[in-house]
Amino acid sequence: MIPVQGVEDQTIAVLGLGRSGKATAAALAAGGAHVIAWDDGNDTRASAEAEGMRIVDLTRDGAWEGVTALITSPGIPHLYPRPHPVIARAYALGVPVDNDIGLFFRSYATADWEGFDRMPRVIAVTGSNGKSTTTALIHHILRECGRPTQMGGNIGTGVLSLEPAHDGEVVVLELSSYQTDLARALTPDVAVFTNLSPDHLDRHGGLGGYFAAKRRLFAEGGPDRAVIGVDEAEGLYLAGQMSMAPADDRVIRVSAGQKLDGPGWSVFARKGFLAEYRKGRQAASIDLRGVKGLPGAHNHQNACAAYAACRAVGLAPREIEAAFHSFAGLPHRSQLVAEIGGVRFVNDSKATNVDAAAKALQAFPRIRWIAGGLAKEGGIAGLLPHLGQVSKAYLIGHSARDFALEIGQIPHEISETMEQAVTRAAAEAEAGDTVLLAPAAASFDQYPNFEKRGEHFTALVEALQGR
């Protein structure tokens, strides 16, 4: 646990008592704060109270006497589409609102660091797609290279549940737009921006607000190094904002499909090869085609971003290359579940939007595509240019019939359920085919989250192996 600094004898309110909320309350108490807490759920409140938390109804005006700050969980809206009533009340009373990410950045460094031989570092990763894989890959590389490291944030351990820093440690954080949007302190040593595509637009008041939330990671604290994907206009803009001159190597530009020219520092992938350029000269090259845990151009972008971040903290190219080959990938993200009779079964349940699904669809030839769920705004019309390798689609869930209309002449059938889709795809697949779960939709019509959807797909495939 990382005790929160600067809160001794203060009354701090915590809103939301899920995993991060409970961890935040404990870290505040460890820092000497008097913690009061609230959650909209009756059962959640009762559970927290049974664990010894002081529950106070923050919807009542009298509850705010002496409160110096409100710490809210990231899933609770603080601005769009409208602030939660408790947060709105904090605003009206002039009570500062923060989240656990802000508390982490103001509390991670301690006086103990004066005795360290090498200062700890923080690498923070944000973006629309690929940030979980990029975060996990950085953490894996550091571990394989013998550097002490922890991973947390939006993946793995909550930030305040991490251990206090060790000498020379590198903490790797995945940060969503929900987390970066509100944090009052954002001071990573290395900040990574993977890419941007429309997502969570209702939460951020549109695409501009969504990008602004991501941009805060770079603008608020000014990282020592910024690793920025420049395949979209927003990334190009951000790289320009962070750079003082064309040769400013505090910015490392990253691309998944174009050679990056210029005198600065760049890392890009083309035709399966990663290249690092500095001052107009090639510094390293890695063949990514044989890295089984990173299939497809989208994963090559993740590899470039992770490579650049690791170079920024002093790792050598050959160390990083060796670690690439032992990376197994993450569950639900282009995860190879099995190969049965020459047919690959790939779980990309995390592909919940059009952009992520498009990247998965471009990673494999001869695809039998399982798609559907709870459609997002705009449907899947944006996928039409990327369906050339789809032999047949098997459509499930609430959006199945709408998706059938949108994909037009692509062979398809309405499968309704995952069981039916996997059974039919497996029966019709031939050696060399890939049965790909890339839903391009949320899971909430049939599953509580994308993980459960991916786990169901995996279980069904494993059952096929047992036949």
Side-chain angles (χ1 to χ4, degrees):
M1 180 194 298
I2 296 174
V4 178
Q5 297 184 43
V7 296
E8 190 172 0
D9 292 327
Q10 295 183 32
T11 299
I12 310 289
V14 173
L15 176 64
L17 293 173
R19 184 187 61 147
S20 67
K22 288 182 177 179
T24 297
L28 285 163
H34 305 294
V35 180
I36 62 175
W38 182 252
D39 190 284
D40 291 336
N42 292 331
D43 292 344
T44 304
R45 290 198 304 271
S47 174
E49 192 165 30
E51 294 174 19
M53 289 191 195
R54 182 185 170 199
I55 303 299
V56 175
D57 186 352
L58 296 174
T59 64
R60 296 186 296 105
D61 289 346
W64 292 89
E65 185 174 351
V67 173
T68 58
L70 173 68
I71 312 301
T72 181
S73 294
I76 300 174
H78 61 269
L79 184 58
Y80 300 115
R82 65 188 61 83
H84 185 282
V86 169
I87 297 176
R89 190 60 188 148
Y91 293 157
L93 294 170
V95 175
V97 180
D98 204 349
N99 62 16
D100 60 339
I101 303 302
L103 297 181
F104 168 85
F105 277 111
R106 85 184 208 196
S107 303
Y108 184 55
T110 68
D112 293 341
W113 289 24
E114 295 178 7
F116 290 166
D117 292 328
R118 185 191 295 180
M119 287 296 100
R121 312 283 293 278
V122 176
I123 300 174
V125 181
T126 195
S128 295
N129 298 306
K131 57 184 180 292
S132 293
T133 296
T134 300
T135 301
L137 180 56
I138 294 169
H139 177 63
H140 171 81
I141 294 167
L142 289 164
R143 191 175 59 233
E144 291 292 295
C145 293
R147 292 287 292 271
T149 181
Q150 296 184 76
M151 180 176 68
N154 201 47
I155 184 174
T157 306
V159 289
L160 294 174
S161 296
L162 294 169
E163 295 179 10
H166 303 290
D167 194 334
E169 183 172 58
V170 182
V171 167
V172 191
L173 303 179
E174 178 192 337
L175 299 181
S176 72
S177 59
Y178 289 9
Q179 293 169 310
T180 58
D181 198 16
L182 188 63
R184 295 171 69 89
L186 286 167
T187 54
D189 298 283
V190 179
V192 180
F193 174 84
T194 58
N195 51 55
L196 193 85
S197 61
D199 208 359
H200 309 304
L201 300 190
D202 59 334
R203 176 66 183 266
H204 297 290
L207 186 60
Y210 178 50
F211 174 56
K214 302 286 189 186
R215 182 179 176 274
R216 290 191 76 245
L217 182 63
F218 299 81
E220 292 299 309
D224 295 336
R225 279 277 181 349
V227 175
I228 301 175
V230 295
D231 287 336
E232 295 91 26
E234 292 85 359
L236 282 168
Y237 165 81
L238 182 58
Q241 289 273 297
M242 297 299 295
S243 180
M244 297 299 292
D248 186 352
D249 69 358
R250 292 174 301 173
V251 176
I252 308 176
R253 291 169 170 82
V254 167
S255 172
Q258 57 180 315
K259 180 179 180 180
L260 298 177
D261 297 315
W265 194 351
S266 62
V267 179
F268 56 87
R270 294 181 70 196
K271 298 180 180 179
F273 286 85
L274 178 153
E276 176 189 2
Y277 273 71
R278 298 189 75 169
K279 299 179 180 180
R281 295 183 177 182
Q282 183 168 321
S285 177
I286 297 174
D287 185 350
L288 297 174
R289 294 172 300 176
V291 181
K292 293 183 178 180
L294 297 167
H298 63 305
N299 273 313
H300 292 175
Q301 182 187 54
N302 300 335
C304 288
Y307 175 94
C310 291
R311 292 286 284 135
V313 295
L315 297 185
R318 293 303 163 224
E319 290 182 292
I320 299 170
E321 180 178 10
F324 277 165
H325 286 279
S326 58
F327 182 65
L330 286 181
H332 320 301
R333 298 161 177 88
S334 294
Q335 174 195 10
L336 178 61
V337 175
E339 186 167 334
I340 305 171
V343 177
R344 290 179 294 180
F345 291 80
V346 175
N347 167 22
D348 205 336
S349 183
K350 184 63 169 64
T352 60
N353 59 41
V354 164
D355 189 65
K359 288 179 168 63
L361 288 164
Q362 294 171 70
F364 305 98
R366 293 174 50 187
I367 295 169
R368 293 191 176 272
W369 178 35
I370 300 175
L374 191 62
K376 295 192 174 181
E377 185 176 352
I380 58 168
L383 283 177
L384 293 179
H386 308 292
L387 300 182
Q389 298 180 112
V390 174
S391 302
K392 186 174 180 180
Y394 304 82
L395 305 174
I396 65 173
H398 183 270
S399 63
R401 285 167 176 76
D402 290 336
F403 280 15
L405 293 174
E406 291 186 74
I407 64 175
Q409 299 304 309
I410 299 295
H412 62 271
E413 65 179 64
I414 305 296
S415 298
E416 300 285 1
T417 66
M418 186 71 74
E419 290 92 340
Q420 178 72 5
V422 170
T423 298
R424 292 285 295 150
E428 296 182 349
E430 300 174 351
D433 286 356
T434 296
V435 176
L436 172 66
L437 171 64
S443 60
F444 305 124
D445 57 333
Q446 295 179 316
Y447 302 93
N449 50 51
F450 74 84
E451 291 96 341
K452 291 298 182 184
R453 176 170 59 192
E455 289 167 6
H456 190 200
F457 173 82
T458 298
L460 292 168
V461 173
E462 289 174 347
L464 292 174
Q465 287 182 294
R467 290 181 180 176

